[in-house]
Amino acid sequence: MRQLFVLDPLRQINPAKDSSAALMQAAQRSGDEIWACTPSDLIARGDEPLAMALPVTPDPWIGVGAPERQALAGFDVIWMRKDPPVDEAYLYATHLLEVAERAGVRVLNRPSALRSWNEKLGALRFSRWMAPTLVAGRVSELIAFAQEQGEVVLKPLGGRAGLGVIRVHADAPGLKALLELVTEQERLPVMAQRFLPDVVEGDKRILLVDGEPLGAINRRPSPGEFRSNLAVGGQAEATDLSDRDRQICAALAPALRAEGLFFVGIDVISGMLSEINVTSPTGVREVERLMQQPLADQTMERLRALV
Protein backbone atom coordinates (compact mmCIF):
# COMPACT_ATOMS: atom_id res chain seq x y z
CA MET A 1 0.00 0.00 0.00
CA ARG A 2 0.91 3.66 -0.32
CA GLN A 3 0.23 5.64 2.83
CA LEU A 4 0.39 9.40 3.38
CA PHE A 5 0.66 10.87 6.87
CA VAL A 6 -0.56 14.46 7.27
CA LEU A 7 1.02 15.69 10.48
CA ASP A 8 3.15 18.31 12.17
CA PRO A 9 6.63 18.99 10.74
CA LEU A 10 8.79 15.88 11.10
CA ARG A 11 11.47 17.82 13.00
CA GLN A 12 8.97 18.36 15.83
CA ILE A 13 8.29 14.64 16.33
CA ASN A 14 10.00 12.66 19.08
CA PRO A 15 9.99 9.11 17.70
CA ALA A 16 10.53 7.55 21.13
CA LYS A 17 7.16 8.87 22.30
CA ASP A 18 5.11 9.76 19.26
CA SER A 19 2.23 7.55 18.15
CA SER A 20 2.41 8.80 14.55
CA ALA A 21 6.05 7.70 14.39
CA ALA A 22 5.02 4.27 15.71
CA LEU A 23 2.33 3.94 13.04
CA MET A 24 4.68 5.05 10.27
CA GLN A 25 7.31 2.54 11.35
CA ALA A 26 4.71 -0.24 11.51
CA ALA A 27 3.63 0.67 7.97
CA GLN A 28 7.24 0.33 6.85
CA ARG A 29 7.46 -3.11 8.48
CA SER A 30 4.37 -4.06 6.48
CA GLY A 31 6.27 -3.24 3.30
CA ASP A 32 4.26 -0.10 2.52
CA GLU A 33 5.45 3.04 0.76
CA ILE A 34 5.26 5.96 3.17
CA TRP A 35 4.95 9.67 2.53
CA ALA A 36 4.50 12.65 4.81
CA CYS A 37 3.28 16.22 4.54
CA THR A 38 1.85 19.00 6.66
CA PRO A 39 -1.67 20.44 6.25
CA SER A 40 -0.20 23.47 4.48
CA ASP A 41 1.15 21.13 1.78
CA LEU A 42 -2.35 20.06 0.69
CA ILE A 43 -3.57 21.37 -2.68
CA ALA A 44 -6.79 21.15 -4.70
CA ARG A 45 -6.44 21.99 -8.39
CA GLY A 46 -10.06 22.05 -9.43
CA ASP A 47 -11.41 18.76 -8.18
CA GLU A 48 -7.97 17.10 -8.23
CA PRO A 49 -6.48 16.74 -4.71
CA LEU A 50 -2.69 16.98 -4.51
CA ALA A 51 0.07 17.40 -1.95
CA MET A 52 3.70 18.45 -1.91
CA ALA A 53 4.80 15.38 0.00
CA LEU A 54 8.06 13.87 1.21
CA PRO A 55 8.97 10.22 0.67
CA VAL A 56 10.13 8.94 4.06
CA THR A 57 11.90 5.95 5.57
CA PRO A 58 10.79 6.15 9.20
CA ASP A 59 12.91 3.36 10.69
CA PRO A 60 15.53 4.28 11.74
CA TRP A 61 14.09 7.75 12.29
CA ILE A 62 14.09 9.29 9.73
CA GLY A 63 15.16 9.24 6.10
CA VAL A 64 13.56 11.96 3.99
CA GLY A 65 13.62 12.42 0.23
CA ALA A 66 12.99 15.50 -1.85
CA PRO A 67 9.43 16.88 -1.90
CA GLU A 68 7.30 15.82 -4.85
CA ARG A 69 3.86 16.83 -6.05
CA GLN A 70 1.69 13.77 -5.51
CA ALA A 71 -1.90 13.08 -6.53
CA LEU A 72 -3.78 12.12 -3.36
CA ALA A 73 -5.88 9.69 -5.39
CA GLY A 74 -2.66 7.68 -5.80
CA PHE A 75 -2.59 6.80 -2.10
CA ASP A 76 -4.48 3.88 -0.57
CA VAL A 77 -4.67 5.49 2.87
CA ILE A 78 -4.23 9.02 4.20
CA TRP A 79 -3.79 9.53 7.94
CA MET A 80 -4.79 12.94 9.35
CA ARG A 81 -2.54 13.06 12.43
CA LYS A 82 -2.05 16.81 12.90
CA ASP A 83 -2.11 17.73 16.58
CA PRO A 84 -4.73 20.21 17.81
CA PRO A 85 -5.69 23.00 18.05
CA VAL A 86 -8.62 22.45 15.74
CA ASP A 87 -8.36 25.93 14.27
CA GLU A 88 -9.22 27.37 10.85
CA ALA A 89 -6.14 25.82 9.23
CA TYR A 90 -7.05 22.39 10.63
CA LEU A 91 -10.65 22.65 9.45
CA TYR A 92 -9.63 23.75 5.96
CA ALA A 93 -7.27 20.76 5.80
CA THR A 94 -10.19 18.43 6.53
CA HIS A 95 -12.12 19.99 3.65
CA LEU A 96 -9.20 19.40 1.30
CA LEU A 97 -8.88 15.82 2.51
CA GLU A 98 -12.56 15.37 1.79
CA VAL A 99 -11.77 16.02 -1.87
CA ALA A 100 -9.40 13.03 -1.71
CA GLU A 101 -12.07 10.99 0.06
CA ARG A 102 -14.50 11.68 -2.78
CA ALA A 103 -11.81 10.41 -5.15
CA GLY A 104 -11.93 7.06 -3.34
CA VAL A 105 -9.08 7.38 -0.85
CA ARG A 106 -9.61 6.09 2.70
CA VAL A 107 -8.88 8.99 5.05
CA LEU A 108 -8.31 8.21 8.73
CA ASN A 109 -10.01 9.55 10.62
CA ARG A 110 -12.86 10.62 8.31
CA PRO A 111 -12.62 14.39 7.72
CA SER A 112 -16.30 15.08 8.42
CA ALA A 113 -16.03 13.26 11.76
CA LEU A 114 -12.93 15.24 12.72
CA ARG A 115 -14.99 18.39 12.27
CA SER A 116 -18.11 17.19 14.05
CA TRP A 117 -16.55 15.31 16.99
CA ASN A 118 -15.26 17.90 19.41
CA GLU A 119 -13.16 15.82 21.79
CA LYS A 120 -15.14 17.04 24.80
CA LEU A 121 -18.62 17.39 23.30
CA GLY A 122 -18.45 14.16 21.31
CA ALA A 123 -18.68 12.17 24.52
CA LEU A 124 -22.05 13.70 25.43
CA ARG A 125 -23.96 11.26 23.23
CA PHE A 126 -22.73 8.58 25.67
CA SER A 127 -23.57 10.58 28.78
CA ARG A 128 -24.96 7.55 30.62
CA TRP A 129 -21.37 6.32 30.88
CA MET A 130 -20.05 9.68 32.13
CA ALA A 131 -19.84 11.46 35.46
CA PRO A 132 -22.44 14.23 35.82
CA THR A 133 -21.56 16.80 33.16
CA LEU A 134 -22.74 20.26 32.18
CA VAL A 135 -21.73 22.35 29.17
CA ALA A 136 -22.72 25.98 29.52
CA GLY A 137 -21.55 29.53 29.09
CA ARG A 138 -23.91 31.10 31.62
CA VAL A 139 -22.13 31.62 34.92
CA SER A 140 -25.31 31.11 36.93
CA GLU A 141 -25.77 27.64 35.41
CA LEU A 142 -22.19 26.68 36.15
CA ILE A 143 -22.40 27.92 39.75
CA ALA A 144 -25.60 25.96 40.33
CA PHE A 145 -23.98 22.81 38.91
CA ALA A 146 -20.89 23.26 41.09
CA GLN A 147 -23.07 23.69 44.18
CA GLU A 148 -25.00 20.55 43.25
CA GLN A 149 -21.83 18.46 42.74
CA GLY A 150 -19.66 19.99 45.47
CA GLU A 151 -16.43 19.93 43.50
CA VAL A 152 -16.01 20.11 39.73
CA VAL A 153 -13.44 20.09 36.99
CA LEU A 154 -13.70 22.83 34.35
CA LYS A 155 -12.47 22.04 30.83
CA PRO A 156 -12.13 24.40 27.86
CA LEU A 157 -13.86 22.80 24.88
CA GLY A 158 -10.88 23.44 22.64
CA GLY A 159 -8.29 22.31 25.16
CA ARG A 160 -5.80 19.47 24.79
CA ALA A 161 -3.26 17.59 26.90
CA GLY A 162 -4.83 18.82 30.13
CA LEU A 163 -4.08 22.47 29.36
CA GLY A 164 -6.50 24.90 30.97
CA VAL A 165 -8.25 22.23 33.07
CA ILE A 166 -9.17 23.56 36.52
CA ARG A 167 -10.40 21.82 39.68
CA VAL A 168 -12.59 24.01 41.88
CA HIS A 169 -14.83 23.60 44.93
CA ALA A 170 -18.29 25.15 44.99
CA ASP A 171 -17.33 27.17 48.08
CA ALA A 172 -14.11 28.53 46.58
CA PRO A 173 -13.76 32.31 47.01
CA GLY A 174 -13.97 34.07 43.68
CA LEU A 175 -15.77 31.22 41.90
CA LYS A 176 -17.98 33.67 40.01
CA ALA A 177 -14.95 35.67 38.84
CA LEU A 178 -13.18 32.47 37.77
CA LEU A 179 -16.19 31.37 35.73
CA GLU A 180 -16.42 34.79 34.12
CA LEU A 181 -12.76 34.38 33.14
CA VAL A 182 -12.98 30.86 31.69
CA THR A 183 -16.19 31.67 29.77
CA GLU A 184 -14.75 34.99 28.55
CA GLN A 185 -17.61 36.88 30.17
CA GLU A 186 -20.21 34.26 29.16
CA ARG A 187 -19.09 34.32 25.52
CA LEU A 188 -17.80 30.73 25.38
CA PRO A 189 -19.26 27.55 26.87
CA VAL A 190 -17.07 25.29 29.01
CA MET A 191 -17.49 21.74 30.23
CA ALA A 192 -17.98 21.14 33.95
CA GLN A 193 -17.79 17.61 35.34
CA ARG A 194 -18.08 16.22 38.83
CA PHE A 195 -14.59 15.80 40.25
CA LEU A 196 -13.79 12.11 40.69
CA PRO A 197 -11.39 11.65 43.65
CA ASP A 198 -10.33 8.26 42.30
CA VAL A 199 -8.37 10.09 39.60
CA VAL A 200 -5.42 9.87 42.03
CA GLU A 201 -5.36 6.17 41.11
CA GLY A 202 -5.13 7.09 37.44
CA ASP A 203 -6.94 7.81 34.20
CA LYS A 204 -7.05 5.01 31.63
CA ARG A 205 -6.23 5.79 28.03
CA ILE A 206 -7.85 3.07 25.91
CA LEU A 207 -6.97 2.88 22.22
CA LEU A 208 -9.71 1.61 19.93
CA VAL A 209 -8.99 0.50 16.37
CA ASP A 210 -12.06 0.09 14.17
CA GLY A 211 -14.15 0.10 17.36
CA GLU A 212 -12.14 -2.60 19.14
CA PRO A 213 -10.05 -1.88 22.26
CA LEU A 214 -6.55 -3.04 21.31
CA GLY A 215 -4.56 -1.59 24.19
CA ALA A 216 -4.62 0.59 27.28
CA ILE A 217 -2.40 2.29 29.82
CA ASN A 218 -3.12 3.90 33.16
CA ARG A 219 -1.89 7.48 33.58
CA ARG A 220 -1.28 8.39 37.21
CA PRO A 221 -1.06 12.06 38.24
CA SER A 222 2.19 13.31 39.71
CA PRO A 223 2.15 14.20 43.46
CA GLY A 224 0.05 17.27 44.19
CA GLU A 225 -1.56 17.20 40.73
CA PHE A 226 -5.01 15.97 39.67
CA ARG A 227 -4.36 16.01 35.91
CA SER A 228 -3.01 12.72 34.65
CA ASN A 229 -2.06 13.73 31.10
CA LEU A 230 1.44 12.64 30.18
CA ALA A 231 2.10 16.13 28.81
CA VAL A 232 1.70 17.62 32.30
CA GLY A 233 3.73 15.03 34.19
CA GLY A 234 1.41 12.03 34.46
CA GLN A 235 3.17 8.67 34.71
CA ALA A 236 2.15 5.79 32.45
CA GLU A 237 1.77 2.33 33.95
CA ALA A 238 0.49 -1.05 32.83
CA THR A 239 -3.21 -1.80 33.27
CA ASP A 240 -5.98 -4.21 32.34
CA LEU A 241 -9.46 -3.46 31.02
CA SER A 242 -12.28 -3.96 33.50
CA ASP A 243 -15.71 -5.25 32.56
CA ARG A 244 -16.97 -1.66 32.81
CA ASP A 245 -14.22 -0.46 30.43
CA ARG A 246 -15.23 -3.10 27.89
CA GLN A 247 -18.89 -2.16 28.21
CA ILE A 248 -18.02 1.47 27.44
CA CYS A 249 -15.98 0.42 24.40
CA ALA A 250 -18.83 -1.78 23.15
CA ALA A 251 -21.29 1.11 23.55
CA LEU A 252 -19.07 3.42 21.49
CA ALA A 253 -18.06 0.95 18.76
CA PRO A 254 -21.10 1.18 16.42
CA ALA A 255 -20.98 4.99 16.28
CA LEU A 256 -17.19 5.05 15.80
CA ARG A 257 -17.38 2.61 12.90
CA ALA A 258 -20.38 4.34 11.33
CA GLU A 259 -18.65 7.73 11.35
CA GLY A 260 -15.25 6.55 10.11
CA LEU A 261 -13.38 7.03 13.38
CA PHE A 262 -10.87 4.24 12.86
CA PHE A 263 -8.21 5.22 15.44
CA VAL A 264 -9.56 6.66 18.68
CA GLY A 265 -8.34 7.14 22.24
CA ILE A 266 -10.87 7.33 25.05
CA ASP A 267 -10.20 8.43 28.61
CA VAL A 268 -11.88 6.60 31.50
CA ILE A 269 -11.64 7.61 35.17
CA SER A 270 -13.00 5.25 37.79
CA GLY A 271 -15.23 3.57 35.23
CA MET A 272 -16.53 6.89 33.88
CA LEU A 273 -16.00 8.03 30.29
CA SER A 274 -14.28 11.41 30.24
CA GLU A 275 -13.29 12.21 26.64
CA ILE A 276 -13.18 10.72 23.15
CA ASN A 277 -9.95 11.74 21.40
CA VAL A 278 -10.14 11.57 17.61
CA THR A 279 -7.59 14.03 16.19
CA SER A 280 -4.21 12.42 16.95
CA PRO A 281 -4.66 10.03 19.89
CA THR A 282 -1.48 9.15 21.76
CA GLY A 283 -0.40 6.20 23.86
CA VAL A 284 0.86 3.69 21.29
CA ARG A 285 4.47 3.79 22.47
CA GLU A 286 3.43 3.41 26.11
CA VAL A 287 1.20 0.40 25.34
CA GLU A 288 3.99 -1.23 23.37
CA ARG A 289 6.55 -0.62 26.13
CA LEU A 290 4.47 -1.38 29.22
CA MET A 291 2.18 -4.09 27.89
CA GLN A 292 4.71 -5.74 25.57
CA GLN A 293 2.12 -5.49 22.81
CA PRO A 294 2.81 -4.60 19.13
CA LEU A 295 -0.15 -2.22 18.93
CA ALA A 296 1.05 -0.28 15.86
CA ASP A 297 1.56 -3.52 13.90
CA GLN A 298 -1.87 -4.75 15.01
CA THR A 299 -3.35 -1.46 13.80
CA MET A 300 -1.81 -1.97 10.36
CA GLU A 301 -3.18 -5.51 10.25
CA ARG A 302 -6.69 -4.19 10.97
CA LEU A 303 -6.25 -1.51 8.33
CA ARG A 304 -5.18 -3.98 5.65
CA ALA A 305 -8.33 -5.99 6.31
CA LEU A 306 -10.43 -2.90 5.48
CA VAL A 307 -8.63 -1.47 2.46
Side-chain angles (χ1 to χ4, degrees):
M1 290 197 304
R2 300 182 79 231
Q3 298 198 45
L4 172 67
F5 287 77
V6 182
L7 67 180
D8 291 294
L10 294 172
R11 66 180 179 276
Q12 297 179 13
I13 293 176
N14 179 352
K17 297 182 178 181
D18 194 272
S19 294
S20 294
L23 293 168
M24 294 169 76
Q25 290 174 342
Q28 177 180 321
R29 288 192 291 272
S30 295
D32 293 346
E33 183 181 322
I34 305 148
W35 295 72
C37 74
T38 67
S40 61
D41 294 318
L42 297 173
I43 303 164
R45 186 177 179 87
D47 64 351
E48 182 185 10
L50 306 160
M52 287 300 297
L54 301 168
V56 297
T57 304
D59 194 10
W61 191 264
I62 186 169
V64 179
E68 299 179 27
R69 184 182 293 253
Q70 290 287 313
L72 296 190
F75 291 99
D76 300 287
V77 175
I78 299 175
W79 292 82
M80 176 52 164
R81 292 281 303 174
K82 172 72 175 69
D83 284 341
V86 179
D87 53 13
E88 280 187 289
Y90 187 99
L91 293 174
Y92 292 148
T94 66
H95 286 291
L96 289 169
L97 289 173
E98 225 162 21
V99 180
E101 190 177 49
R102 289 196 296 271
V105 182
R106 183 177 291 272
V107 182
L108 307 173
N109 286 321
R110 184 176 294 159
S112 59
L114 290 174
R115 291 195 298 272
S116 63
W117 279 69
N118 175 277
E119 296 188 329
K120 306 293 188 299
L121 297 176
L124 293 179
R125 68 180 75 186
F126 307 102
S127 60
R128 67 179 292 259
W129 301 100
M130 300 173 70
T133 300
L134 175 76
V135 177
R138 288 191 175 276
V139 168
S140 59
E141 293 286 340
L142 292 163
I143 289 176
F145 182 77
Q147 291 172 341
E148 177 186 309
Q149 302 302 325
E151 191 169 14
V152 297
V153 172
L154 302 172
K155 300 179 179 181
L157 298 183
R160 62 184 180 92
L163 300 178
V165 177
I166 302 168
R167 172 184 170 186
V168 63
H169 197 278
D171 296 331
L175 175 60
K176 183 173 184 289
L178 173 64
L179 293 172
E180 290 170 347
L181 178 66
V182 298
T183 62
E184 296 187 11
Q185 300 295 322
E186 300 191 326
R187 191 179 69 86
L188 292 177
V190 297
M191 174 176 280
Q193 290 181 316
R194 177 193 290 172
F195 174 68
L196 300 174
D198 286 349
V199 72
V200 297
E201 301 299 325
D203 170 356
K204 284 187 186 178
R205 163 57 59 87
I206 304 172
L207 291 170
L208 294 92
V209 178
D210 195 29
E212 294 293 327
L214 287 195
I217 53 168
N218 191 51
R219 302 174 299 177
R220 191 179 293 269
S222 57
E225 177 63 83
F226 73 95
R227 297 174 299 171
S228 57
N229 308 74
L230 301 182
V232 294
Q235 297 299 309
E237 57 187 26
T239 191
D240 293 314
L241 295 184
S242 67
D243 290 342
R244 169 81 176 187
D245 296 332
R246 294 187 183 280
Q247 289 169 355
I248 292 172
C249 292
L252 270 58
L256 298 180
R257 292 191 185 108
E259 301 202 25
L261 293 167
F262 175 78
F263 193 86
V264 170
I266 67 171
D267 298 335
V268 178
I269 303 171
S270 188
M272 296 289 184
L273 176 66
S274 175
E275 295 181 15
I276 302 175
N277 299 276
V278 302
T279 51
S280 56
T282 61
V284 173
R285 291 297 197 200
E286 290 76 14
V287 169
E288 293 184 333
R289 174 171 56 86
L290 294 167
M291 306 300 291
Q292 298 297 299
Q293 177 185 343
L295 193 145
D297 293 292
Q298 292 172 334
T299 299
M300 290 300 155
E301 290 174 12
R302 294 291 181 106
L303 177 58
R304 298 183 97 81
L306 293 177
V307 175

